[in-house]
Amino acid sequence: MVLASIIIAITAITLTQVPSPPQAATSTKAREVQELREGLALQQQQRDAEAIAIFREVLRQRPDFAEAHSALGYSLGRQNDFAGAVSEFETAIGLQPTLQEAHFRLGVMYWLSGEFVRAITPLRAAVKLRPGHLESHFYLGRCLQQTGNLREAITELRRAATLGPKLAEVQSALGGALAAAEDFEGAEASLRRAISLRPDLIEARNQLGLALIEQRRADAAVTELEAARRLAPTDRATLHNLGLALMQKADYNAAIASYESLLRLAPDDAEAWYNLGLAFKYKDDFAAAIRAFEKCIALQPRLQEAHYSLGITLLQQGVIDKAIDAFRGAIIAKPDFAEAFYLLGTALQQKGETGEAVASFRKAIAIAPLSPQYHNTLGNALRQQGDLAAARAEFAEAARLNKLKTDAQAALFATNLGIQRLNEGRISEAIERLTEALRLDPDNATARRYLELATRRTNRSGKSGKTGR
Amino acid sequence: MMIGLLGLGAGIAAIAGLGWQAPEVPRVTISNVAAAAGLKHRTIYGGEQKNKYLLETTGCGVAWIDFDNDGWQDIFFVNGTRLEGWPKGVGREEPPISRLYRNNGNGTFTDVTRAAGVGRTGWGQGVCAGDFDNDGDEDLFVTYYGKNLLWRNNGNGTFTEVGEKAGVAGLRTRWGSGCAFIDYDRDGRLDLVVANYIDLDLKTAPTPESGPCLYKGLMVACGPPGLQGAKNILYHNEGGGLFTDVSAKAGIPATSGTYGLGVLTSDFDNDGWTDIYVANDSAPATLYHNKRDGTFTDIAAEAGAAYSGDGKPQAGMGVAAADYDGDGWLDIFKTNFSGDTSTLYHNLGTKLGGLVFDDVTFPSGIGLNTRWLGWGCGFPDIDNDGWPDILLVNGHVYPEVIRLNNEAGYPQRKVLYQNLRNGSFRDITEKVGGALIEPTASRGAAFGDYDNDGDLDVVINPVNGTPALLRTDSETGNNWLTVRLQGTKSNRSGFGARLRLTAEGRTQINDARSGGSYYSQNDGRVHFGLGMATRVTRLEIAWPSGTVDTYNDLPVNRLIVCKEGDGGK
């Protein structure tokens, strides 16, 4: 809801700048231009129905009037006639490919209808035709972010932020993109700037809360999201995110309270039921967790996580048959759900259906071959079937994969300590740690880079030492 | 495991069909009498608010030991230190030292640490007791981050530290953890198994900030994953007060498990040779199968006792063994991290061609608790009904969690599971209440009958706190028998002996053992609850030497001393 109002506000600002008078070569044309202006005036007063009538009249007289098509498209869009709007913008572009506003509006129209990939082409054209048009950069950035092109998205949003440094919405969007790219420091700076510009910008507070959750800074996230809740006590996104932060903080009672508040506002919010179930499960209130998961599934049968968590909770209680049903539900919802195959296998094995369990473990491994626990459970099932040699092979593979994980962790510690020592000027210790990191994890690019740096520093100090002597 | 679960399920159904009812919550009272009993010292271990290294988190063990042979169980508490140390000087606080308390036989204890000469300071860890020199009194082995100590009991109320001389002190850089005396080769002398946790070098160890290491958003001590795991050690007792490190020859390093903590010794495959189970932190557990030729093989993975039922390594801490379902095979209970469950491995025996365990955590009812972070644990038959119950003590690893609004907190309550006699358990902690509910930052816990009244009590060594002594008082009217062993051909402590007791047509088994729980030593006497049985039909003791003693028609509610070779006389 908040987002939509931002979009309309920005687009409306654009419209006040759009009506550049066409080149009036004849008196007829001059009349049509005059009529177009009258329509635009009505449009500015939100009197779109009247404006549409005028634009249609203008176009009846002059069907190749590109600006009029664009103006008509805009009013149609505001009347929720997206198809009509798109058609008018496309006609305008066909008539006048350099008409930047038509490209821009077409892009925004696609954005509003969630067609982010289709929005990118007209928005790129809008940026190209009018470099420095803040809104075009802004929407292009947002669409690129939505399609996963974070690098370009951040470039466009940075450009928008440069053009409109006081626009909180732009700072907020930039912060969101930076957070998505895991540049949490940059994200936090942008989002805090957005909040300082507009303390009531709930979207920015939510983005900041999520960024802090990503960094596992649960206390700080709760602080931001509590502030957002005070500003907008019924904002659903805020209550969702606050619940997440409270769960991360292990404050399950408060998380439950947050989700229950949300569900009073939106009783059919399946994700809220799911998160409520998780909070109950974390505090070992299994009956309440199961009720919440079942409610979630009733509302959204395709939410695989709900089936999965329900299965785990039932398994934990030793309710094997129902757990099996739940895991099968998760697999129906997501046919490549490796964890669900693995736990289905575990439940089947507990029930004594070893053959089916083996098949399920093998499916899990086919999807995610690097999970050691899948190999262990397969090994157990094979041993149960009497195939000790195959079982041992699976146990050995699990042990190998576990070792890779612990070695990677050790390499991370050694790398970070090496960097710290390097920063402290303790070069030989840094080299020792970074070398150790590479021994444990030869693909560790960070360790390699810093080791090269440390070695260069050693060489430099060695050379300067010689010169000094 | 299919067979185990099907068997269990069928069993429940069959019993239910015959009108089986869950037993009532036993009429027992559990009170913390530590202060009144005179256990007032404070165990110091690492920073109280924040820990820089994992070294500050593991805490200390505790041992029941009748060091003066007066028939009353005395207590030895290991103690720790702090990173900043305890500078010496006039007016400064005395450094924390291990403590020995003599049982006065009237419910109170006297601190005899200084007279006994066992008051050492340092990063004390685990403790185990056993008569390693077969001189008739129990000795102590104490592990450290640093050199381990072997306290030889002089038989006159004092001890002499002989670790270096005996060859078991180890290296100064080693982090000894759980330990147990074990006569693995049945030569009549107690050998020694010592788990080691991490090869920790504080100069290169990551700190919470450098790691960086986060737990639920909090900066906490790093590890153990990412730190160099240490290798366990087996010392062979050569006699004459000397031990030899036989780890390599015995196959001890050949295990994928590392970060060893709790050590448990028992004969899991009923072949008469003691095996070794090690709870490893964040790694698969190790089950050293005794091959009867002086060597061991880690069979934990293929025996189904290395991982959780869903194939994941767990943060193993404490370990206990008992035949909880009366099928003649010793089962294993292991405590783990919070957010996980403790694990109950049901021993299916060797009928599948090799020793096999089945993780029955969930079907047995143990899997319902995930909030507690468990340490010391045992299978005390708390109500003497003849069915071992489970008690675990808890406390979070990280003191920083006090900043989380987490119900479990840093100090945590204990958990008591009642054995429902059908393969499942019920959490009765809140029903029994009392001292069980009191939150404690517990670590070591040892089970024993300190007041010789026939029910099992618990002593707990916390971190940065005073000990708890949980006295059990029972109104069940159930009977009991406690057996003290005295080996002659076998080791004097009788460790490794298998006891098989039959009363009213029901047979129970247990082993005499050293070590167990978390870093701790239980009462070396073997206790049996007998329910309403008024006579013990038969008690069979299979000694490690091969001698089998049999006692028939024994009276109940008493302690008996069984000397090897005297059976039936």
Side-chain angles (χ1 to χ4, degrees), chain B residues 147-327:
Chain B
K147 292 208 169 195
N148 301 322
L149 304 177
L150 177 60
W151 293 105
R152 191 186 66 215
N153 189 333
N154 299 322
N156 60 0
T158 69
F159 288 77
T160 303
E161 204 287 301
V162 297
E164 199 75 62
K165 190 173 145 192
V168 294
L171 303 173
R172 190 169 293 283
T173 53
R174 202 168 264 162
W175 186 344
S177 51
C179 62
F181 285 102
I182 169 179
D183 184 8
Y184 73 91
D185 56 354
R186 306 197 336 189
D187 66 353
R189 289 189 290 264
L190 284 178
D191 312 299
L192 183 59
V193 57
V194 185
N196 283 274
Y197 189 40
I198 294 168
D199 285 340
L200 184 72
D201 180 352
L202 295 183
K203 290 196 294 294
T204 58
T207 62
E209 294 75 22
S210 77
C213 297
L214 290 166
Y215 175 77
K216 295 190 175 176
L218 299 173
M219 287 272 183
V220 297
C222 295
L227 302 179
Q228 179 62 50
K231 297 290 183 191
N232 304 323
I233 298 174
L234 181 66
Y235 293 106
H236 180 253
N237 188 338
E238 306 292 345
L242 295 176
F243 289 79
T244 305
D245 182 345
V246 294
S247 309
K249 192 171 78 176
I252 298 299
T255 168
S256 60
T258 184
Y259 310 130
L261 290 173
V263 172
L264 175 69
T265 57
S266 274
D267 177 11
F268 293 110
D269 57 352
N270 289 349
D271 67 350
W273 296 76
T274 306
D275 311 297
I276 304 166
Y277 185 80
V278 183
N280 293 316
D281 187 0
S282 311
T286 301
L287 174 52
Y288 291 115
H289 176 236
N290 190 330
K291 294 168 71 180
R292 314 180 204 178
D293 60 358
T295 70
F296 292 83
T297 304
D298 176 13
I299 59 163
E302 64 188 66
Y307 299 94
S308 62
D310 54 1
K312 293 177 184 165
Q314 296 174 289
M317 311 285 189
V319 275
D323 177 15
Y324 74 86
D325 59 344
D327 65 355

Side-chain angles (χ1 to χ4, degrees), chain A residues 51-79:
Chain A
I52 286 168
I54 291 175
F55 297 143
R56 288 203 193 282
E57 178 55 26
V58 170
L59 287 166
R60 193 186 59 76
Q61 295 167 33
R62 187 178 155 196
D64 62 347
F65 194 172
E67 285 88 345
H69 283 287
S70 177
L72 174 58
Y74 180 71
S75 278
L76 289 171
R78 284 220 303 217
Q79 299 260 308

Side-chain angles (χ1 to χ4, degrees), chain A residues 171-173 175-176 179 183-196 201-218 220-225 227-228 241 245 248:
Chain A
Q171 295 291 347
S172 176
D183 175 359
F184 295 116
E185 202 178 323
E188 190 173 343
S190 284
L191 292 163
R192 291 203 184 281
R193 206 171 300 133
I195 291 166
S196 72
L201 188 57
I202 302 301
E203 186 204 6
R205 289 191 186 271
N206 269 302
Q207 292 275 14
L208 180 55
L210 288 173
L212 293 165
I213 289 171
E214 283 292 326
Q215 295 172 79
R216 307 198 68 76
R217 290 164 59 191
V222 168
T223 303
E224 289 304 326
L225 293 161
N241 297 335
Q248 191 178 68

